[in-house]
Amino acid sequence: MESVTAVGRTVVPAREARAARLAAGQRVSVVDLEGGQVGDVFAFAAEDVTEHLSAAHTRAATNRLFPAMGEPFVTDRRRPILTLVSDTSPGWHDMLIAACDPARYAGLGATASHPSCADNLRRALAAMGLSVPFTPQPLNVFMRIPVGEDGRLSWLPAVSRSGDAITFEAAMDCVLVVSACPQDLVGINGGEPTSLAIDVSAPN
Amino acid sequence: MESVTAVGRTVVPAREARAARLAAGQRVSVVDLEGGQVGDVFAFAAEDVTEHLSAAHTRAATNRLFPAMGEPFVTDRRRPILTLVSDTSPGWHDMLIAACDPARYAGLGATASHPSCADNLRRALAAMGLSVPFTPQPLNVFMRIPVGEDGRLSWLPAVSRSGDAITFEAAMDCVLVVSACPQDLVGINGGEPTSLAIDVSAPN
């Protein structure tokens, strides 16, 4: 595998995804360029991409629905892969909801050609010569899914502002994929999906 | 695949798992025989066991942390696989936490020989000539993980009583696996894992 990581900004166009390689210790920000946009973030171990960031294992590690500042996201093998180091957004992020996929859009009445975060993930990995036989549950940055009475979940429009960023430090060499969620039938993106950016800092 | 389903009771010994085949429409109860015991429940489509009950897709379908009575559990392909039809327990069940596995017990200081729900799942499927290349996030019946302030999760001892049962109807032909969780280092089973039962009713 290529070990060089592109430092700098990669724009993730609305409804698409992009991937970035990160070395352990490197920092990456996911930036909401226009505001109100959800990003589905996936992370895979560089040495074996079947090992992936897992929401269910992360909850068991941190005893929270979403890690607090300084806490790790762990893989399905319970190894830290990212650490949450900074967040300039209002702080809403989700780790409860599956990535949108063709079956989700079929259920919402869309045509088979509707883009999805699951398809975006596959395409972004393929551009790096990679593939995985499943779609891990993503961490959905800027996604606002409050938990109410009796465990009821609400799907609310993202309130992140233009320029808001959530920043992670890589705890291992990994591949990060960010999908600018194309959901336009449920209001999480305010009805109009927009672009994101992946800002990779120079290695320490 | 064998299509005959064994009707009646299968005891799941403490720290072990057992599997059962269900035809669409058939009902199955998971029974806490002695009380205070968590069961990790997995379900797979009979026609292709890579399709499995998915917690993240189920939350997106029901807009709840755990389905309410009459609501479905869906697969990673968003098809209903089980429906919640009855529950005589106090009602605590979890769909947030990953199955325990060797890495979990290593982190808790146990030896490599400690049994786990992930290993139990593999063994129960193998006894049916089946395997899957991953451990789906289970639905953890009788497991008490309340969500508190700021999304904090607490791991509390199960309060199910001897004879309490949660009952599902199969929405498709499927394979159900129930692991009597061997967790004895975190207090969810009151420190002493005990047995469960799988009660399969006659087909309609």
Side-chain angles (χ1 to χ4, degrees):
Chain A
M1 263 189 49
E2 213 182 313
S3 63
V4 178
T5 301
V7 170
R9 171 161 290 191
T10 301
V11 170
V12 184
R15 303 181 177 79
E16 299 188 14
R18 293 293 183 271
R21 289 185 192 280
L22 302 172
Q26 221 168 355
R27 292 192 173 197
V28 60
S29 298
V30 180
V31 185
D32 189 351
L33 294 176
E34 300 181 39
Q37 174 61 41
V38 168
D40 281 38
V41 177
F42 305 87
F44 303 89
E47 64 187 18
D48 175 0
V49 292
T50 67
E51 181 176 1
H52 57 88
L53 189 156
S54 165
H57 293 82
T58 297
R59 286 188 287 267
T62 63
N63 301 322
R64 290 182 188 275
L65 292 182
F66 197 86
M69 207 58 62
E71 289 185 339
F73 298 84
V74 306
T75 70
D76 59 314
R77 297 179 205 169
R78 302 191 192 259
R79 301 197 303 157
I81 185 166
L82 297 176
T83 305
L84 180 56
V85 293
S86 167
D87 183 11
T88 69
S89 83
W92 287 100
H93 308 288
D94 168 74
M95 226 166 51
L96 294 170
I97 300 298
C100 60
D101 53 28
R104 171 65 161 159
Y105 289 107
L108 292 169
T111 63
S113 65
H114 197 291
S116 70
C117 288
D119 282 349
N120 283 349
L121 168 65
R122 243 177 304 282
R123 206 168 289 127
L125 286 176
M128 287 195 159
L130 299 171
S131 70
V132 293
F134 48 76
T135 304
Q137 188 194 326
L139 69 100
N140 299 309
V141 298
F142 311 130
M143 187 167 175
R144 191 154 61 114
I145 305 283
V147 181
E149 288 279 311
D150 294 329
R152 287 290 264 171
L153 305 177
S154 303
W155 301 60
L156 302 181
V159 290
S160 39
R161 299 148 303 197
S162 171
D164 275 347
I166 182 169
T167 303
F168 308 96
E169 183 170 297
M172 64 169 74
D173 294 353
C174 62
V175 175
L176 191 86
V177 176
V178 178
S179 173
C181 179
Q183 180 58 267
D184 51 7
L185 302 170
V186 172
I188 56 168
N189 298 309
E192 182 55 33
T194 55
S195 57
L196 299 170
I198 307 172
D199 285 351
V200 177
S201 67
N204 287 333
Chain B
M1 263 188 50
E2 214 181 312
S3 63
V4 178
T5 301
V7 168
R9 171 160 291 190
T10 302
V11 170
V12 184
R15 303 182 177 81
E16 298 187 16
R18 293 293 183 272
R21 289 184 193 280
L22 302 172
Q26 220 168 356
R27 292 192 172 196
V28 60
S29 298
V30 180
V31 185
D32 189 351
L33 294 176
E34 300 181 40
Q37 175 61 39
V38 168
D40 281 37
V41 177
F42 306 87
F44 304 89
E47 64 188 17
D48 175 0
V49 291
T50 67
E51 181 175 1
H52 57 87
L53 188 157
S54 165
H57 293 82
T58 297
R59 285 188 288 266
T62 63
N63 302 322
R64 290 183 189 276
L65 292 182
F66 197 87
M69 207 58 63
E71 290 185 337
F73 298 84
V74 306
T75 70
D76 58 316
R77 297 177 206 171
R78 302 190 192 261
R79 301 198 302 158
I81 185 165
L82 298 176
T83 305
L84 181 55
V85 293
S86 167
D87 183 12
T88 68
S89 82
W92 287 100
H93 307 289
D94 168 75
M95 228 169 47
L96 294 170
I97 301 296
C100 60
D101 53 27
R104 170 66 162 160
Y105 288 107
L108 292 169
T111 64
S113 65
H114 197 290
S116 70
C117 288
D119 283 348
N120 283 351
L121 168 65
R122 242 176 305 281
R123 205 167 291 127
L125 287 176
M128 286 196 159
L130 299 171
S131 69
V132 292
F134 49 76
T135 304
Q137 187 193 327
L139 69 98
N140 300 307
V141 298
F142 311 128
M143 187 166 173
R144 189 155 61 113
I145 306 282
V147 180
E149 288 279 312
D150 294 329
R152 287 289 263 173
L153 305 176
S154 303
W155 301 60
L156 302 182
V159 289
S160 40
R161 299 147 302 199
S162 171
D164 277 348
I166 181 168
T167 303
F168 309 95
E169 184 171 297
M172 65 170 75
D173 294 353
C174 62
V175 175
L176 191 86
V177 177
V178 178
S179 172
C181 179
Q183 180 58 268
D184 50 8
L185 301 169
V186 172
I188 56 170
N189 296 310
E192 182 57 33
T194 56
S195 57
L196 299 171
I198 306 171
D199 284 352
V200 177
S201 67
N204 286 335

